[in-house]
Amino acid sequence: MAKVFYQSLLEPLSRIVLPTSMNIHNQFIDPSTCKQAISCNFTGPTAKNIIVSKDTILQIFELIERQEDYNEDFDDLNKKDTLNDNVNETESFISGELNTQLQKKSYKISLISEYKLNGSINNITKFRSNENENIDYLIICTKIAKLSIIHWDSSKNSISTVSLHYYEPIMSNLCFEKFEDHEVTQRTDPGSLCSVLEIRGLFAFLPFYHDFMDNDAVEDDIEMAIGDEENKNNEDGPEKKIRKVDSGNSTSSRKSLSSSAIEEGPKTKPRTKKLYNSSFILGSASLHTDLKNVVDFGFLHSYREPTMAILYSPKTVTWAGNLSRGKDNMQVVVLSLDLESKRSTPIIELFDLPYDLEIVQPLPNPINGFLLIGCNEIIHVNSIGSARGIAVNSYYQKCSNFQIKDQSDLELDLAGCAIEYIGGDQMLLITEEGKLYSVSFEKIGGSSNITEIKEINSKNYEGISINQPTSM
């Protein structure tokens, strides 16, 4: 009797299907570790916001200039003089103009709002939408391959969901292994043309729509029609100047991209303008013939079309214990994407790169190009495809035959480091232990090259504790 009763209790439970990629648990304590932070103009065109993710927590801060208080006591004045002396002795990565600003201005960070999300945040990126090009919209990527586009609603003084995009159903069917075992990588084009989510060699593209796309297409068609007409009427006569045609009121639309297999979530309210075209998914082989074992990728700056640098291992993967049989197995390909035809064109390819490379870091203008960062080296690939780098410890010579500049006396371990552009030809490198270094570049013949890594005197950031840095 007890056995029958027990089976009657279990029978309804056996018919409940739980999602395989979601962990069922209660979060008793809110997470406190910062996993990512980005700077943007989120709450307003002139607002300086910092968006921080802490697993399931999303925090929105604003950087506010603090008013100087001239009623300081004697001790505070002494502290301020000491700070100014340290700033004046700062290494070359801080310019004289920035020194002046540091001495005259002080800032504070104010928490505007905090939200607890249902999923674990994997990545946050920003873009300028067709709806409002004066502020940044955010794309929040979760570990279950879902993209949430949000913006700041000033009328409610809160965030508002623009759209939801689910890629888990189709990608889980295309992956041979368990979907939850794969790491989700998401990147957004700095020109706000598209966002890409990658899982196990599958690339899901979300193209953004802008009004200038249709205007450019219409103007090209009109100019071609006028040119053909003039050539027809003036075959033997002198060339006539083509007059400019205003196509601002044209209602012609570009052919849209579509994929019915991808689920588009409901929008919170009807949008006043079109924000994006339909998503589509491409395999790595569709982008490039030998593209597999993707390690990292990123969208490059200063290109008209979305251009993506991909770090991958086409043949096999290796590790430190197998370097005697095979090393320098990594390759990089830079692809120019045509979102309308869903095709790509390789413009730069690099071969036989060190095995421990794991990060692609795009660099903004005026440096341009991108960095390849490994535990033992930093390699800069400029806009013409020339690769120069710096070895930062004595292990590099044993791990790679790729010839780069030797600064092994630094004895750095770049695992878990963060590096960001700070202006001019300088970048700031922060190691996992919290030490600061300046990375210098020089411009020769219109392209930049990495030249030196220099340690910053610890007195210049005395009292600041940094560990496990995150990129902005």
Side-chain angles (χ1 to χ4, degrees):
M1 183 67 179
K3 184 177 180 181
V4 173
F5 178 72
Y6 180 70
Q7 288 179 347
S8 64
L9 288 177
L10 291 181
E11 204 170 295
L13 295 177
S14 63
R15 293 195 294 266
I16 299 177
V17 180
L18 296 176
T20 57
S21 60
M22 182 180 296
N23 295 323
I24 308 299
H25 66 280
N26 289 326
Q27 197 171 57
F28 296 102
I29 301 176
D30 290 339
S32 58
T33 301
C34 175
K35 298 182 67 176
Q36 187 189 3
I38 65 170
S39 60
C40 60
N41 306 110
F42 184 63
T43 59
T46 59
K48 299 178 181 178
N49 298 117
I50 299 176
I51 312 298
V52 177
S53 68
K54 299 178 178 179
D55 194 48
T56 59
I57 301 295
L58 180 70
Q59 293 178 323
I60 301 172
F61 294 89
E62 184 175 4
L63 188 65
I64 302 175
E65 185 177 350
R66 179 179 295 169
Q67 299 296 328
E68 292 289 348
D69 185 6
Y70 296 100
N71 297 322
E72 301 172 307
D73 57 22
F74 184 76
D75 293 336
D76 291 338
L77 286 173
N78 286 338
K79 291 179 181 178
K80 186 174 181 180
D81 291 338
T82 303
L83 175 62
N84 291 340
D85 292 339
N86 289 337
V87 169
N88 288 328
E89 296 175 359
T90 305
E91 304 295 340
S92 60
F93 88 99
I94 296 183
S95 63
E97 180 181 356
L98 187 55
N99 279 336
T100 304
Q101 292 179 358
L102 286 174
Q103 294 179 34
K104 290 184 177 179
K105 296 182 179 180
S106 61
Y107 297 88
K108 65 178 180 179
I109 297 177
S110 175
L111 178 63
I112 296 177
S113 189
E114 178 179 297
Y115 303 91
K116 188 170 184 179
L117 309 183
N118 291 326
S120 179
I121 301 174
N122 186 68
N123 192 38
I124 302 177
T125 55
K126 62 182 179 180
F127 76 102
R128 294 293 173 99
S129 74
N130 189 48
E131 190 174 57
N132 189 343
E133 295 185 354
N134 296 320
I135 62 174
D136 291 314
Y137 283 38
L138 297 181
I139 304 176
I140 300 177
C141 175
T142 63
K143 291 184 178 180
I144 57 173
K146 182 182 74 173
L147 296 184
S148 304
I149 300 179
I150 65 172
H151 76 115
W152 182 258
D153 191 338
S154 56
S155 63
K156 299 179 180 178
N157 198 35
S158 175
I159 61 173
S160 177
T161 302
V162 176
S163 61
L164 301 174
H165 307 266
Y166 303 93
Y167 298 96
E168 180 186 13
I170 184 172
M171 285 191 163
S172 59
N173 293 331
L174 295 175
C175 293
F176 293 102
E177 298 95 350
K178 291 183 179 180
F179 179 82
E180 57 269 21
D181 295 338
H182 302 319
E183 183 178 355
V184 178
T185 307
Q186 184 263 333
R187 303 286 185 266
T188 298
D189 174 50
S192 300
L193 295 176
C194 69
S195 184
V196 174
L197 185 145
E198 185 269 336
I199 303 176
R200 196 68 176 177
L202 296 174
F203 292 82
F205 291 84
L206 177 61
F208 299 129
Y209 177 84
H210 294 277
D211 289 336
F212 67 80
M213 296 178 175
D214 282 345
N215 293 337
D216 291 343
V218 172
E219 287 179 1
D220 292 342
D221 293 341
I222 293 176
E223 288 181 2
M224 289 178 62
I226 293 176
D228 293 342
E229 187 67 22
E230 287 200 351
N231 292 333
K232 183 177 181 181
N233 296 333
N234 304 283
E235 292 180 354
D236 299 324
E239 294 182 358
K240 292 185 179 180
K241 195 172 184 179
I242 300 176
R243 64 183 178 90
K244 187 176 181 180
V245 178
D246 184 11
S247 59
N249 296 326
S250 174
T251 58
S252 174
S253 61
R254 173 178 278 194
K255 182 180 178 182
S256 62
L257 306 173
S258 62
S259 178
S260 59
I262 300 172
E263 296 183 15
E264 303 290 345
K267 304 177 183 63
T268 56
K269 62 180 180 179
R271 312 309 302 180
T272 57
K273 286 188 176 182
K274 183 178 180 180
L275 300 184
Y276 51 85
N277 290 319
S278 298
S279 300
F280 61 91
I281 295 178
L282 295 177
S284 56
S286 301
L287 294 174
H288 193 57
T289 52
D290 61 346
L291 183 59
K292 60 181 179 180
N293 298 322
V294 176
V295 177
D296 194 17
F297 69 96
F299 283 95
L300 305 186
H301 296 259
S302 304
Y303 285 90
R304 182 175 179 180
E305 299 294 333
T307 303
M308 190 165 54
I310 305 176
L311 175 66
Y312 67 105
S313 176
K315 298 179 181 178
T316 182
V317 293
T318 187
W319 63 293
N322 197 38
L323 292 180
S324 59
R325 296 185 177 183
K327 55 184 176 181
D328 295 339
N329 62 315
M330 304 300 293
Q331 295 185 18
V332 166
V333 61
V334 178
L335 301 175
S336 178
L337 305 175
D338 187 342
L339 300 178
E340 189 171 359
S341 63
K342 306 179 186 178
R343 294 181 180 178
S344 62
T345 303
I347 57 177
I348 296 175
E349 288 190 72
L350 298 174
F351 306 93
D352 302 327
L353 298 173
Y355 86 100
D356 62 328
L357 293 175
E358 57 182 3
I359 298 175
V360 175
Q361 177 84 23
L363 303 180
N365 189 51
I367 300 178
N368 291 320
F370 57 95
L371 293 177
L372 299 172
I373 304 174
C375 295
N376 309 312
E377 70 283 323
I378 295 180
I379 298 175
H380 174 232
V381 182
N382 60 23
S383 55
I384 62 174
S386 175
R388 296 186 182 182
I390 296 176
V392 297
N393 58 46
S394 54
Y395 292 104
Y396 178 79
Q397 299 298 331
K398 301 177 182 180
C399 298
S400 176
N401 296 325
F402 192 80
Q403 297 300 314
I404 56 178
K405 182 179 178 180
D406 185 14
Q407 277 193 256
S408 57
D409 56 311
L410 293 172
E411 293 298 343
L412 294 179
D413 180 7
L414 299 183
C417 73
I419 182 168
E420 286 296 330
Y421 175 72
I422 57 173
D425 59 352
Q426 302 287 325
M427 298 193 72
L428 178 64
L429 170 67
I430 306 177
T431 64
E432 195 171 22
E433 293 78 17
K435 294 184 178 180
L436 273 62
Y437 296 81
S438 64
V439 183
S440 303
F441 296 79
E442 65 175 356
K443 201 165 188 177
I444 301 176
S447 60
S448 299
N449 295 296
I450 190 170
T451 57
E452 184 184 24
I453 299 177
K454 190 174 182 181
E455 185 175 4
I456 299 172
N457 193 335
S458 59
K459 291 182 179 180
N460 296 324
Y461 53 93
E462 188 176 7
I464 300 176
S465 177
I466 305 174
N467 54 36
Q468 295 184 346
T470 59
S471 297
M472 297 285 286

